[in-house]
Amino acid sequence: KLADEAAEKKKKSTYKLGGRVHLDSWNFLESDPGINFLETGDYDDDPENRWDFRRIRLELEGTVPNNMLYRIQIDFNNPSAAEMKDVYVGWNNLPYNQTLLLGNQKRPIGLDHLNSSRHNVFAERPLAVETFNEDARRPGIGMYGYTDDELLHWRYGAFLLENISTDGRVRGDYTEGGLYGRLSSSPWYDDISGGRGYLHLALAGSLNQTDGDGNLDLDDNNNEARFRTRPEARSDSRWWNTNRILGANHYQQLAYEFMLNVGAFQLTSEYFGNWVQRDPLGGFNGDDLFFHGGYVFASYFLTGEHIPYDRKTGTIGRVKPFENFFLVDRCCGGTGTGLGAFAVALRYDYLTLSDSDIRGGTGHSITAGLNWYWTAYSKVQTNLIWGTIENAGQGQSNSGPDDTTVPLASGVGGDYAILGMRFMIDF
Amino acid sequence: KLADEAAEKKKKSTYKLGGRVHLDSWNFLESDPGINFLETGDYDDDPENRWDFRRIRLELEGTVPNNMLYRIQIDFNNPSAAEMKDVYVGWNNLPYNQTLLLGNQKRPIGLDHLNSSRHNVFAERPLAVETFNEDARRPGIGMYGYTDDELLHWRYGAFLLENISTDGRVRGDYTEGGLYGRLSSSPWYDDISGGRGYLHLALAGSLNQTDGDGNLDLDDNNNEARFRTRPEARSDSRWWNTNRILGANHYQQLAYEFMLNVGAFQLTSEYFGNWVQRDPLGGFNGDDLFFHGGYVFASYFLTGEHIPYDRKTGTIGRVKPFENFFLVDRCCGGTGTGLGAFAVALRYDYLTLSDSDIRGGTGHSITAGLNWYWTAYSKVQTNLIWGTIENAGQGQSNSGPDDTTVPLASGVGGDYAILGMRFMIDF
Amino acid sequence: KLADEAAEKKKKSTYKLGGRVHLDSWNFLESDPGINFLETGDYDDDPENRWDFRRIRLELEGTVPNNMLYRIQIDFNNPSAAEMKDVYVGWNNLPYNQTLLLGNQKRPIGLDHLNSSRHNVFAERPLAVETFNEDARRPGIGMYGYTDDELLHWRYGAFLLENISTDGRVRGDYTEGGLYGRLSSSPWYDDISGGRGYLHLALAGSLNQTDGDGNLDLDDNNNEARFRTRPEARSDSRWWNTNRILGANHYQQLAYEFMLNVGAFQLTSEYFGNWVQRDPLGGFNGDDLFFHGGYVFASYFLTGEHIPYDRKTGTIGRVKPFENFFLVDRCCGGTGTGLGAFAVALRYDYLTLSDSDIRGGTGHSITAGLNWYWTAYSKVQTNLIWGTIENAGQGQSNSGPDDTTVPLASGVGGDYAILGMRFMIDF
């Protein structure tokens, strides 16, 4: 009879609704004139303080008989111009615990990008992670799997390089695409303590083909050989920015992940290398380029919780406080209060996007974080960021033909300090 | 065992989906040339008749363990440019029956704004209510509570003044904010008849700080000292409109609510006073300003129903017709028909936004309403509006530096008549 | 007790959530210079290849006690500019099995438009269907019903002619509207085989009033006497296009539907005639116009399934494969695989929008289709299209006053070949 019921169940499609709200406050405490220029194009006009809904995301996911699945995720943080996030269909329960997804999904490179924004330790992702996998999601096809003992997890796929989050479409006669792969392993995972101890290691890489002549010809492709990122805060402009690199026809990436967790303590690090090849174009023969960056952070729960790890996906999971904040339970007669969970964290970032004639910026930054977990579903993150950047400005240079960039005579740079808070809930 | 189940339930987040559809037809029966100018900027081009989806709203609300809640409301009436309405997270079950909300929510001033658009007696809100709390919702933090005997209800909070309904973000180095509070009471509430008789009284007020120099300096803040409203119908322009008042750095508001319900009859009135202070700017030293307005309406159910009142929030609730319209119930063999419920209502409005050199408009209007309730969830409202406005036109004047307004030599005005219908459902 | 429960149920509003994802790839294999001009305005710039999310649609529908219903459908295929599809409220269970709907809904003309995009045999709709009922949905009021023996189905209504899918509003003092009706019948329906055999016949027609002077006067109405369509593929421009026909004040339509299904085989055909009357305007006295078009297709399931028919709506339904694709069911110990269902189809289309001075295009096309049904809810469609068009170009001509079209000295045209794939799922 149970089998009958299960069979019946399989004949209907299902759905699950979810969502998240992230509300940010960002204060640009200090900024040198060079930073002002990178943000606004004016040395005297400093970055504006702001309150943003960073994410107002609705998710609908489910299954279709017999072993298909779908997921639609729309973000209304800017309600008059919504964005698509995950939008895919696929098959699960394939041999070797595999799942195949077709549609808009995260490219498998960069641990901090594969982690959900609901679970990450810092409010914004590291410089190198954002730079070398900007906005993470692209339309493509991806395979995900793991070994039965959960020691190994892999994901690989082929993706188009155009970011379709706002318009849902790729246009152009030239196919800009990439092959991506990531292999992760958790050689140590302490099952007995419920996963309070583990070691995660991973290698990822990509091979990409881009349209170096961009808008110079008749096809509609923009040149996707562009690397850029904000200063780990929601500025208007990307301060590190190579702009679209004229003549760049290929690039390759290699990335390394390390994550060690011992109880309430975690140490995490990633490193990215990125190689770009340029062909002669318009009388200019640019050298091949090498950009790279990475980060290391340590985090510690003052209240003793730990960051869970999901061996099947090679990413972190939801932190569960031992005690919730503001627990007021009056239905049983008494009134209780709780403090929630507290964690501190410190991150060091390095990124250079300046090489040869390209002045995309070289710099590093320190982020101090304090996370106050109200419940397993809600928390407030406070991040204080000090950074410095040199030899930047390529992103403010669009004076070439058809908006292509031109070599800059000299770079700009400066120091900055930013204070951010994020209030977040998910369901 | 039940306790176990309840405890289990508490560990999961929940959601509830809802929505509403409001479809409007507006006919501008008559308009003097001055009205045409206020609408289109052209004395000969009269307001266009229209069919609008006024609201296509989806709502997702729920709880997160243990005592947190969230609400996301997106309006797709203009689907290519959606708007956010309520988007907040919070805690309920706080001491003294209180709830604390963080996010985009209604500022606590103006009964007719705090009432849901699903329940209001007239299709559009009174002139003074819309003017002095334009679009109601702002990002902020608010506390809501009531006494155990439900005699008193209060809500107060701090809000940013920028309207973020279309873009979800506040930008600017100058903090334009306000403190708002409302205390309401229902000294008479006839429990025995199920709330067919009650008296509601309330006082509300606000203290606001605005950026009087607006776009004249480098920060991104617009001057939020602007008061304006449409003619209780969906015109394209706001006919009463002070525009952004140059040099206005502060304003304060005081509002009074009165609502008496005796069975099928209701009498409601509100009054608002608004004081604005200006600092000298650009060689112009404007006087302090006083704007004010109010309304009174009477409504009566021909079919005998009444407008319910919610003592815990100090607002009105859902009308339940004694008999639904078009009840065709064939499953039990018979066929029945019903008429639904009918109510008539008459409203008088007064508003002056003209003081000193500011010609924002002075006028009054009469609204005759006929509501036909099909079910508790659906109705059609018909409103006929006659109005007059004088000494207006400030809103069509943007010739100062950086789009600031300049004094007008003389005001414009005229009479108008508008017929509107709204078909509405909610679920 | 069951009656009590049913009664209880009736007192609450209900909802059902659904959706669909369609992901397209379109390759413009060949295009003559004239086709390039129709697409881009440049004889040398050919249509761009593309990947599009064609539909990312969320649907919320339900009932409100006692016999009301609602439906809200938003499409996020272009997430920063969503579109509304069905948005209506109504009553069902009316006498004679009728349902009355008020809001945005499909105009009842053209079988292929009334069929859901989830079920249609070809990826894009026929030339004539798209042309003479562009985007199908308009705001209006419609009645739907059928006889008790399900032999006859009818739908008729009154609609405004402005397409409100992106902005949700009709503006203008001139009422552009139409009366539409469709009567369909299934004189043969083989109940015994579960509907594997049937014959569907239908007649539909419309009477429309348009604003021939369009933007030449002060009202905001655009002239809705415009007929146009893409080449059964998602090009950027509509290659058949009369543009807004200056002076056209009325048009009438007559359409015929034929559908014969015998097991795995189906033969379907439609024909449309469209008459336009013009009044003299701006010194130009255009002749009355006649446009027409139609199609015929044959489809056959290699794996033996059939296309179901819904007699109550006079449209086709969901195909259920005998065997799903990639059925991997490991919970019961074994592993199974399935192939899914396969169907082939061939369509011939004809459309002429050229008459008198209007060069809207005359042409025909052949579409070869291969459908691979993975499950009842998902499939991939492959379409190969060869077409030719002559005497077109009116749509690229906007040089008259206020963007009105002017007579062209000569038409353009050419041949094209397009390959498309659509991956689709719904739930």
Side-chain angles (χ1 to χ4, degrees):
Chain A
K1 198 181 147 201
L2 274 173
D4 278 6
E5 265 175 38
E8 202 54 39
K9 225 178 206 172
K10 267 195 196 146
K11 285 183 193 148
K12 288 196 181 167
S13 55
T14 67
Y15 71 81
K16 199 165 73 88
L17 204 65
R20 73 191 71 167
V21 176
H22 293 183
L23 176 61
D24 283 15
S25 164
W26 292 104
N27 275 270
F28 292 82
L29 305 175
E30 280 186 28
S31 58
D32 283 347
I35 298 295
N36 297 346
F37 176 81
L38 293 174
E39 172 76 356
T40 64
D42 177 345
Y43 287 97
D44 295 325
D45 191 3
D46 67 333
E48 299 290 295
N49 295 333
R50 62 200 62 203
W51 282 85
D52 281 3
F53 275 103
R54 176 72 170 91
R55 295 182 179 91
I56 301 177
R57 202 174 287 183
L58 299 183
E59 312 172 352
L60 190 64
E61 61 178 19
T63 58
V64 157
N66 287 353
N67 65 326
M68 290 198 69
L69 59 94
Y70 66 87
R71 183 170 159 90
I72 298 175
Q73 220 184 10
I74 311 279
D75 202 314
F76 294 100
N77 71 77
N78 182 347
S80 63
E83 297 163 31
M84 75 166 68
K85 298 296 171 179
D86 285 345
V87 179
Y88 55 68
V89 307
W91 289 267
N92 54 16
N93 294 330
L94 300 178
Y96 305 104
N97 310 307
Q98 287 192 118
T99 297
L100 182 68
L101 301 181
L102 173 67
N104 208 40
Q105 56 192 300
K106 288 183 180 176
R107 289 177 294 190
I109 194 166
L111 170 66
D112 211 83
H113 244 321
L114 303 180
N115 290 339
S116 170
S117 66
R118 298 168 302 164
H119 304 326
N120 265 334
V121 171
F122 294 92
E124 293 291 334
R125 295 188 165 98
L127 297 173
V129 170
E130 260 301 316
T131 296
F132 296 115
N133 188 6
E134 190 189 335
D135 284 357
R137 290 181 185 82
R138 291 296 184 281
I141 187 161
M143 180 68 94
Y144 303 73
Y146 56 91
T147 53
D148 285 335
D149 60 5
E150 301 186 358
L151 179 65
L152 293 177
H153 162 75
W154 61 87
R155 45 178 86 188
Y156 58 90
F159 299 88
L160 296 166
L161 297 184
E162 206 175 304
N163 185 349
I164 64 166
S165 66
T166 55
D167 65 359
R169 55 208 61 196
V170 175
R171 296 284 161 89
D173 286 338
Y174 188 94
T175 301
E176 297 186 279
L179 300 173
Y180 285 75
R182 174 182 182 251
L183 181 68
S184 79
S185 172
S186 45
W188 174 49
Y189 185 81
D190 189 37
D191 262 318
I192 293 164
S193 69
R196 284 183 61 90
Y198 53 83
L199 173 67
H200 161 94
L201 300 170
L203 265 181
S206 75
L207 301 172
N208 300 274
Q209 160 177 298
T210 50
D211 185 20
D213 55 12
N215 299 322
L216 295 177
D217 55 11
L218 276 176
D219 71 43
D220 282 5
N221 297 95
N222 289 310
N223 176 1
E224 298 293 342
R226 176 178 57 178
F227 306 92
R228 52 179 194 167
T229 187
R230 294 189 178 86
E232 298 172 302
R234 295 302 289 181
S235 55
D236 286 339
S237 303
R238 271 103 169 167
W239 301 354
W240 277 262
N241 192 343
T242 65
N243 230 331
R244 301 182 185 279
I245 299 170
L246 197 64
N249 282 319
H250 294 90
Y251 69 88
Q252 303 81 36
Q253 300 176 317
L254 208 57
Y256 175 72
E257 307 170 13
F258 168 91
M259 180 165 54
L260 174 69
N261 198 87
V262 182
F265 175 79
Q266 182 171 113
L267 184 70
T268 298
S269 180
E270 292 190 74
Y271 173 81
F272 294 77
N274 190 100
W275 295 261
V276 184
Q277 290 85 42
R278 288 190 283 186
D279 286 353
L281 196 73
F284 181 77
N285 189 351
D287 288 338
D288 289 354
L289 302 163
F290 177 60
F291 305 133
H292 67 117
Y295 72 92
V296 55
F297 78 73
S299 111
Y300 182 71
F301 274 90
L302 302 173
T303 42
E305 288 83 355
H306 77 287
I307 300 172
Y309 176 71
D310 183 345
R311 302 185 82 185
K312 292 182 185 175
T313 61
T315 60
I316 62 171
R318 183 186 298 284
V319 170
K320 296 199 173 67
F322 292 150
E323 179 184 76
N324 282 346
F325 167 63
F326 238 115
L327 173 66
V328 177
D329 210 344
R330 317 200 313 166
C331 64
C332 308
T335 304
T337 17
L339 279 179
F342 288 88
V344 289
L346 196 68
R347 179 174 65 187
Y348 172 78
D349 268 89
Y350 174 77
L351 175 67
T352 180
L353 298 179
S354 298
D355 191 21
S356 182
D357 55 297
I358 301 292
R359 300 181 187 277
T362 292
H364 48 253
S365 77
I366 303 278
T367 311
L370 172 68
N371 292 337
W372 178 19
Y373 294 79
W374 294 333
T375 73
Y377 301 92
S378 58
K379 65 171 179 280
V380 52
Q381 295 181 304
T382 304
N383 280 190
L384 187 52
I385 304 157
W386 302 268
T388 187
I389 183 169
E390 288 170 26
N391 207 18
Q394 198 78 46
Q396 296 278 1
S397 155
N398 285 303
S399 45
D402 284 274
D403 283 335
T404 52
T405 58
V406 291
L408 288 178
S410 68
V412 299
D415 298 338
Y416 59 89
I418 308 172
L419 175 65
M421 293 186 74
R422 172 167 300 167
F423 303 88
M424 51 203 292
I425 199 169
D426 75 272
F427 48 91
Chain B
K1 199 182 147 200
L2 274 174
D4 279 6
E5 266 176 35
E8 203 52 41
K9 225 179 205 170
K10 266 194 196 146
K11 285 182 194 149
K12 288 194 181 167
S13 54
T14 68
Y15 71 81
K16 200 165 74 86
L17 205 65
R20 72 190 71 168
V21 176
H22 293 183
L23 176 60
D24 283 14
S25 164
W26 292 103
N27 274 271
F28 292 82
L29 305 175
E30 280 185 29
S31 58
D32 284 346
I35 297 294
N36 296 347
F37 176 81
L38 292 174
E39 172 76 355
T40 64
D42 177 344
Y43 287 97
D44 295 326
D45 190 2
D46 67 332
E48 299 291 295
N49 296 333
R50 64 199 60 203
W51 282 85
D52 281 2
F53 275 103
R54 177 71 170 90
R55 294 182 179 90
I56 301 176
R57 201 174 289 182
L58 299 184
E59 311 171 353
L60 190 65
E61 61 179 18
T63 57
V64 158
N66 287 353
N67 65 325
M68 290 199 69
L69 58 93
Y70 66 86
R71 183 170 160 91
I72 297 176
Q73 221 184 9
I74 311 278
D75 202 315
F76 294 100
N77 71 76
N78 181 346
S80 63
E83 297 162 32
M84 75 166 68
K85 299 294 171 181
D86 286 343
V87 179
Y88 55 69
V89 306
W91 289 267
N92 54 16
N93 295 329
L94 300 179
Y96 304 104
N97 310 307
Q98 288 192 118
T99 297
L100 181 69
L101 302 181
L102 173 68
N104 208 40
Q105 56 192 301
K106 288 184 180 176
R107 290 178 293 189
I109 194 165
L111 169 65
D112 210 83
H113 245 320
L114 302 180
N115 290 338
S116 171
S117 67
R118 299 168 301 166
H119 304 326
N120 266 333
V121 170
F122 295 91
E124 293 293 332
R125 295 189 164 98
L127 298 174
V129 169
E130 260 300 318
T131 297
F132 297 117
N133 188 5
E134 191 188 334
D135 285 356
R137 290 179 185 83
R138 293 294 184 281
I141 186 161
M143 180 69 94
Y144 303 73
Y146 56 90
T147 53
D148 285 336
D149 59 4
E150 301 185 0
L151 179 65
L152 294 177
H153 162 75
W154 60 88
R155 45 177 88 187
Y156 59 89
F159 299 89
L160 295 167
L161 297 184
E162 207 175 302
N163 185 350
I164 64 166
S165 67
T166 55
D167 66 359
R169 54 208 62 197
V170 175
R171 295 285 160 89
D173 286 337
Y174 188 93
T175 301
E176 298 188 278
L179 301 173
Y180 285 74
R182 174 182 181 251
L183 180 68
S184 78
S185 171
S186 45
W188 174 50
Y189 185 81
D190 189 39
D191 261 319
I192 293 163
S193 68
R196 283 183 61 90
Y198 53 83
L199 173 67
H200 161 95
L201 300 171
L203 265 181
S206 75
L207 301 172
N208 299 276
Q209 161 177 297
T210 50
D211 185 21
D213 55 10
N215 299 322
L216 296 177
D217 56 11
L218 276 175
D219 70 43
D220 282 5
N221 298 95
N222 290 310
N223 176 0
E224 297 294 340
R226 177 178 57 177
F227 306 93
R228 52 180 194 167
T229 187
R230 294 189 178 86
E232 297 172 305
R234 295 301 290 179
S235 55
D236 285 339
S237 303
R238 270 102 169 170
W239 300 355
W240 277 263
N241 192 343
T242 64
N243 231 328
R244 301 184 185 278
I245 300 170
L246 196 65
N249 281 318
H250 294 91
Y251 69 87
Q252 303 80 37
Q253 300 176 318
L254 207 58
Y256 174 74
E257 307 170 14
F258 167 92
M259 180 165 54
L260 173 70
N261 199 87
V262 182
F265 176 80
Q266 180 171 111
L267 184 71
T268 298
S269 179
E270 292 191 74
Y271 173 80
F272 293 77
N274 190 100
W275 294 262
V276 185
Q277 290 84 43
R278 288 191 282 186
D279 285 352
L281 195 75
F284 182 77
N285 188 351
D287 289 338
D288 288 355
L289 302 164
F290 177 61
F291 305 135
H292 66 119
Y295 71 92
V296 55
F297 79 72
S299 109
Y300 181 73
F301 274 91
L302 301 172
T303 42
E305 288 83 354
H306 77 287
I307 300 172
Y309 177 70
D310 183 345
R311 301 185 83 186
K312 291 182 186 176
T313 61
T315 61
I316 63 172
R318 183 185 298 282
V319 169
K320 296 201 172 68
F322 292 150
E323 180 183 76
N324 281 347
F325 168 63
F326 240 116
L327 172 69
V328 176
D329 209 344
R330 316 199 314 167
C331 63
C332 309
T335 302
T337 18
L339 280 179
F342 287 89
V344 290
L346 196 69
R347 178 174 64 187
Y348 172 79
D349 267 271
Y350 174 77
L351 175 66
T352 180
L353 297 180
S354 296
D355 190 21
S356 182
D357 56 297
I358 301 292
R359 300 181 187 278
T362 293
H364 49 252
S365 77
I366 302 278
T367 311
L370 172 67
N371 293 337
W372 179 20
Y373 294 80
W374 293 333
T375 73
Y377 301 91
S378 58
K379 65 172 179 279
V380 52
Q381 295 180 304
T382 305
N383 280 190
L384 187 52
I385 304 157
W386 302 269
T388 187
I389 183 169
E390 289 169 25
N391 207 18
Q394 196 78 45
Q396 296 277 0
S397 154
N398 285 302
S399 44
D402 283 275
D403 282 334
T404 52
T405 58
V406 290
L408 289 178
S410 67
V412 299
D415 299 338
Y416 60 89
I418 309 171
L419 175 65
M421 293 187 74
R422 172 168 301 166
F423 302 89
M424 52 204 291
I425 199 169
D426 74 272
F427 48 92
Chain C
K1 197 182 146 199
L2 274 173
D4 279 3
E5 266 175 37
E8 203 53 39
K9 225 178 204 169
K10 266 193 195 148
K11 285 183 195 149
K12 288 195 182 166
S13 54
T14 68
Y15 70 81
K16 199 165 73 87
L17 205 65
R20 72 191 72 167
V21 176
H22 294 183
L23 176 60
D24 283 15
S25 164
W26 292 103
N27 274 271
F28 293 82
L29 305 175
E30 280 186 29
S31 59
D32 284 348
I35 297 295
N36 296 347
F37 176 80
L38 292 174
E39 171 77 354
T40 64
D42 177 345
Y43 288 97
D44 295 325
D45 190 3
D46 67 332
E48 299 291 294
N49 296 334
R50 64 199 61 204
W51 283 85
D52 281 2
F53 275 103
R54 177 71 171 91
R55 294 180 179 92
I56 301 176
R57 202 174 288 182
L58 299 184
E59 312 172 354
L60 190 65
E61 62 180 16
T63 58
V64 157
N66 287 1
N67 66 323
M68 290 198 70
L69 59 93
Y70 65 87
R71 184 170 159 91
I72 298 176
Q73 220 184 10
I74 311 278
D75 202 314
F76 294 99
N77 71 76
N78 181 347
S80 63
E83 296 163 31
M84 74 166 68
K85 298 294 171 182
D86 285 344
V87 179
Y88 56 68
V89 307
W91 288 267
N92 55 15
N93 294 329
L94 300 178
Y96 304 104
N97 311 307
Q98 289 191 117
T99 297
L100 181 69
L101 301 181
L102 172 68
N104 209 41
Q105 55 192 299
K106 288 183 179 176
R107 289 178 294 189
I109 194 165
L111 170 65
D112 211 83
H113 244 321
L114 302 180
N115 290 338
S116 170
S117 66
R118 298 168 301 166
H119 305 326
N120 266 333
V121 170
F122 294 92
E124 294 291 334
R125 296 189 164 98
L127 297 174
V129 170
E130 259 301 317
T131 296
F132 297 116
N133 188 6
E134 191 190 334
D135 284 357
R137 289 180 185 83
R138 292 296 184 281
I141 186 160
M143 180 68 95
Y144 303 74
Y146 56 91
T147 53
D148 285 335
D149 60 5
E150 300 186 359
L151 180 65
L152 294 177
H153 162 75
W154 60 87
R155 46 178 86 188
Y156 59 89
F159 298 88
L160 296 167
L161 296 184
E162 205 175 304
N163 185 348
I164 65 166
S165 67
T166 55
D167 66 359
R169 54 208 61 196
V170 175
R171 295 284 160 88
D173 286 338
Y174 189 94
T175 301
E176 297 187 279
L179 300 173
Y180 285 75
R182 173 182 183 251
L183 180 67
S184 78
S185 172
S186 45
W188 175 51
Y189 185 82
D190 189 38
D191 262 318
I192 293 164
S193 69
R196 283 183 62 89
Y198 52 84
L199 173 66
H200 161 96
L201 300 170
L203 265 181
S206 74
L207 301 171
N208 300 275
Q209 160 177 298
T210 51
D211 184 21
D213 54 13
N215 299 322
L216 296 177
D217 55 11
L218 276 176
D219 71 43
D220 282 5
N221 297 96
N222 289 310
N223 176 1
E224 297 294 341
R226 176 178 58 177
F227 306 94
R228 53 180 194 166
T229 186
R230 294 189 177 86
E232 299 171 302
R234 296 301 291 179
S235 55
D236 285 339
S237 303
R238 270 105 169 167
W239 300 355
W240 277 262
N241 192 344
T242 65
N243 230 329
R244 301 183 185 278
I245 299 170
L246 196 65
N249 282 318
H250 295 90
Y251 69 88
Q252 302 81 36
Q253 300 176 319
L254 208 57
Y256 174 74
E257 308 170 14
F258 168 91
M259 179 166 55
L260 174 69
N261 199 87
V262 182
F265 176 80
Q266 181 171 111
L267 183 70
T268 298
S269 180
E270 292 191 74
Y271 173 79
F272 293 76
N274 190 100
W275 294 263
V276 184
Q277 291 84 43
R278 289 190 282 186
D279 286 351
L281 195 74
F284 181 77
N285 189 352
D287 288 338
D288 289 353
L289 302 164
F290 177 61
F291 305 134
H292 66 117
Y295 71 93
V296 55
F297 78 73
S299 109
Y300 182 72
F301 274 90
L302 302 173
T303 42
E305 290 82 354
H306 77 288
I307 300 172
Y309 175 70
D310 183 347
R311 301 185 83 186
K312 292 182 185 176
T313 61
T315 60
I316 63 171
R318 183 186 299 284
V319 169
K320 296 200 173 66
F322 293 149
E323 179 183 76
N324 282 347
F325 168 62
F326 239 116
L327 173 67
V328 177
D329 210 343
R330 317 200 314 167
C331 62
C332 308
T335 304
T337 18
L339 280 179
F342 288 88
V344 290
L346 197 68
R347 178 174 65 186
Y348 172 78
D349 267 89
Y350 174 77
L351 174 67
T352 179
L353 298 180
S354 297
D355 191 22
S356 182
D357 55 298
I358 301 292
R359 301 181 187 277
T362 292
H364 49 253
S365 76
I366 302 278
T367 311
L370 172 67
N371 293 337
W372 179 20
Y373 294 79
W374 293 333
T375 73
Y377 302 91
S378 58
K379 65 172 179 278
V380 53
Q381 295 181 304
T382 305
N383 280 190
L384 187 52
I385 304 157
W386 302 269
T388 186
I389 183 169
E390 290 170 24
N391 206 18
Q394 197 77 46
Q396 296 278 0
S397 154
N398 284 302
S399 44
D402 283 274
D403 281 335
T404 53
T405 58
V406 292
L408 287 178
S410 67
V412 300
D415 298 338
Y416 59 89
I418 308 172
L419 175 66
M421 293 186 75
R422 172 167 301 167
F423 302 88
M424 52 204 292
I425 199 170
D426 75 271
F427 49 90

